[in-house]
Amino acid sequence: MSVELPFAPVDELIRRNAGDLRVSAEAAEELARRIQQRGATLATGAAERATADGRKTLMAPDFGVDRTPDKDTLELPIAPVDRIARLDIDDTYRVAMDARVALASILEAYADAVAAAAATLARHAERRTIKAEDVEMYYELEQYFE
């Protein structure tokens, strides 16, 4: 599976949670991959909810969101998020713009939580750089961060 998200916005998400720590390119790549997996999973659930309602268009409420933020306030670009939403769903589904923005918002909040935890793990390891292993370790310890 190729990663749809460009690394620059993901790197920016990590850096806004890193404080004075550096961020390795591998950490941004690992987080982008994990964001993509999460987005595809969320879109599959949204498609199931849309189907249950007799629709072929995913909408923001299918992602559990009533209000969507202004897309210009988000770090994650909408076009790659749209591609992520379509990774594991049938090509007959459409993804409404509000659903794309909702998913981007959800994924950005998710990425912030993972990045903050990865920064904590890097500090705990007494390193000055967030590495991919910190992102991976988050998933091993995820239950303790929630």
Side-chain angles (χ1 to χ4, degrees), residues 57-60 86 94-101:
T57 301
L58 306 186
M59 303 177 84
R86 298 168 190 277
R94 293 177 301 280
V95 183
M97 180 54 79
D98 70 330
R100 295 174 204 170
V101 174

Side-chain angles (χ1 to χ4, degrees), residues 42-121:
L42 291 172
T44 299
E48 290 169 359
R49 285 184 282 286
T51 299
D53 286 346
R55 292 181 283 110
K56 285 291 194 175
T57 301
L58 306 186
M59 303 177 84
D62 296 323
F63 289 97
V65 175
D66 293 325
R67 293 183 58 235
T68 57
D70 179 359
K71 67 181 178 179
D72 295 331
T73 64
L74 298 173
E75 191 69 42
L76 293 178
I78 301 303
V81 170
D82 180 47
R83 290 190 298 275
I84 289 169
R86 298 168 190 277
L87 285 173
D88 293 340
I89 62 174
D90 189 320
D91 288 341
T92 60
Y93 285 98
R94 293 177 301 280
V95 183
M97 180 54 79
D98 70 330
R100 295 174 204 170
V101 174
L103 181 57
S105 175
I106 291 166
L107 293 178
E108 192 162 315
Y110 174 73
D112 276 331
V114 175
T120 298
L121 290 166

Side-chain angles (χ1 to χ4, degrees), residues 7-63:
F7 296 137
V10 177
D11 183 71
E12 181 58 36
L13 288 172
I14 294 177
R15 288 182 190 284
R16 76 181 183 197
N17 289 280
D20 60 345
L21 297 176
R22 294 183 293 260
V23 178
S24 73
E26 293 80 15
E29 183 177 352
E30 180 64 19
L31 183 55
R33 190 174 66 75
R34 299 290 185 138
I35 291 169
Q36 179 169 304
Q37 289 172 341
R38 175 75 167 215
T41 299
L42 291 172
T44 299
E48 290 169 359
R49 285 184 282 286
T51 299
D53 286 346
R55 292 181 283 110
K56 285 291 194 175
T57 301
L58 306 186
M59 303 177 84
D62 296 323
F63 289 97

Side-chain angles (χ1 to χ4, degrees), residues 13-23 27 31 111-138 145:
L13 288 172
I14 294 177
R15 288 182 190 284
R16 76 181 183 197
N17 289 280
D20 60 345
L21 297 176
R22 294 183 293 260
V23 178
L31 183 55
D112 276 331
V114 175
T120 298
L121 290 166
R123 285 186 188 96
H124 180 73
E126 298 181 354
R127 280 188 276 102
R128 304 259 313 131
T129 303
I130 298 172
K131 297 181 174 184
E133 66 189 61
D134 299 314
V135 176
E136 293 165 356
M137 181 60 71
Y138 166 81
F145 284 102

